[in-house]
Amino acid sequence: MNATTRIAQAEQRPLPDMLENPHGQMIPTARIRDDIVFRHQTATALIAGAQALHEAMRTRKEQFFADVDAFIDLTLERYNARLGGRRGGIVITNFGETMKIEVSTADYLRVNEAITAAQALMNEVLEDVGEGANEDVRALLANAFVRDEKTGRLNIQRLQETRRVKLSHPKWPDVQAAIADSLEWAGSRRYIRFHVRQDTNARWEQINLNFSSL
């Protein structure tokens, strides 16, 4: 089915007697211009197709992880072993090492109320250090508590990077302790990536499953 056929079919789909406009008002479909109705039908058909694809991809992703977990369980069973804790990362390859599946788990952190004390202490340190500190270090420390303009959230990576900095300021250990206490585990997410290559001398190529970049 080509694009013209799909859009033509969208135009033939039955419509309700009333359609809701952007202001929440119900308008009789018969009183709406044909071009606007056609645009509505096209948008509805495209979104329905995208939602169906989304559900299919989500279902397939769950099946992939179920297959990987079954593989792990059978491997453990073969060696009479038990898995402790959360499932970590593994790599599954074919015999010729031209196919590779990588499964990894990433932990996510969030900040709690201790972050307020950490920021107050950091401001004290920055005021005392003055211009004597390395410019890059000052920039790192100053930006650690800058929130994202859109989400209003702090950058966890920048906060963690400040803990690697060494300063002689007497309150610096308190800053690091407050930052450490402010970060807590918020959950984890599993990732699965598929790679192929022609032979063992070739580079791995990831099978792109990102719809937007295809």
Side-chain angles (χ1 to χ4, degrees), residues 39-78:
R39 185 192 311 149
H40 169 82
Q41 291 171 306
T42 300
T44 302
L46 290 174
I47 290 296
Q51 289 175 330
L53 177 60
H54 172 79
E55 289 301 318
M57 292 178 68
R58 185 171 66 176
T59 299
R60 193 69 187 95
K61 178 182 177 181
E62 292 172 354
Q63 291 172 345
F64 281 140
F65 281 122
D67 291 341
V68 168
D69 289 341
F71 169 78
I72 295 173
D73 290 339
L74 289 172
T75 301
L76 292 170
E77 184 180 325
R78 181 174 293 120

Side-chain angles (χ1 to χ4, degrees), residues 14 28 38-39 43 59 62 65 73 81 108 114 116 122 131-132 147 151-152 158 172 174 189 192 195-197 210 214:
F38 181 43
R39 185 192 311 149
T59 299
E62 292 172 354
F65 281 122
D73 290 339
Y108 288 86
T116 305
M122 179 72 81
E131 299 299 328
R147 295 181 179 271
T151 64
R158 283 204 298 258
W172 185 241
D174 295 330
R189 181 176 297 174
I192 186 168
H195 299 81
V196 293
R197 59 182 178 181
N210 184 347
L214 294 177

Side-chain angles (χ1 to χ4, degrees), residues 19-157:
L19 290 176
E20 185 176 352
N21 70 9
H23 307 291
Q25 302 166 329
M26 301 304 296
I27 307 298
T29 305
R31 291 175 50 192
I32 303 174
R33 288 196 338 241
D34 290 345
D35 62 313
I36 297 177
V37 171
F38 181 43
R39 185 192 311 149
H40 169 82
Q41 291 171 306
T42 300
T44 302
L46 290 174
I47 290 296
Q51 289 175 330
L53 177 60
H54 172 79
E55 289 301 318
M57 292 178 68
R58 185 171 66 176
T59 299
R60 193 69 187 95
K61 178 182 177 181
E62 292 172 354
Q63 291 172 345
F64 281 140
F65 281 122
D67 291 341
V68 168
D69 289 341
F71 169 78
I72 295 173
D73 290 339
L74 289 172
T75 301
L76 292 170
E77 184 180 325
R78 181 174 293 120
Y79 293 99
N80 295 317
R82 290 186 303 175
L83 181 67
R86 299 193 301 273
R87 296 179 186 271
I90 65 167
V91 177
I92 305 171
T93 60
N94 67 330
F95 184 67
E97 296 191 0
T98 57
M99 303 176 187
K100 177 175 66 172
I101 301 94
E102 294 181 332
V103 182
S104 59
T105 301
D107 290 332
Y108 288 86
L109 301 175
R110 64 187 174 199
V111 296
N112 57 31
E113 69 283 354
I115 198 66
T116 305
Q119 185 170 6
L121 288 165
M122 179 72 81
N123 290 337
E124 290 183 38
V125 170
L126 285 173
E127 289 178 5
D128 291 345
V129 169
E131 299 299 328
N134 178 283
E135 188 174 329
D136 292 334
V137 171
R138 280 188 56 82
L140 171 64
L141 300 183
N143 292 329
F145 292 92
V146 175
R147 295 181 179 271
D148 185 275
E149 293 182 359
K150 295 182 179 180
T151 64
R153 296 177 181 174
L154 293 171
N155 186 304
I156 300 295
Q157 183 177 350

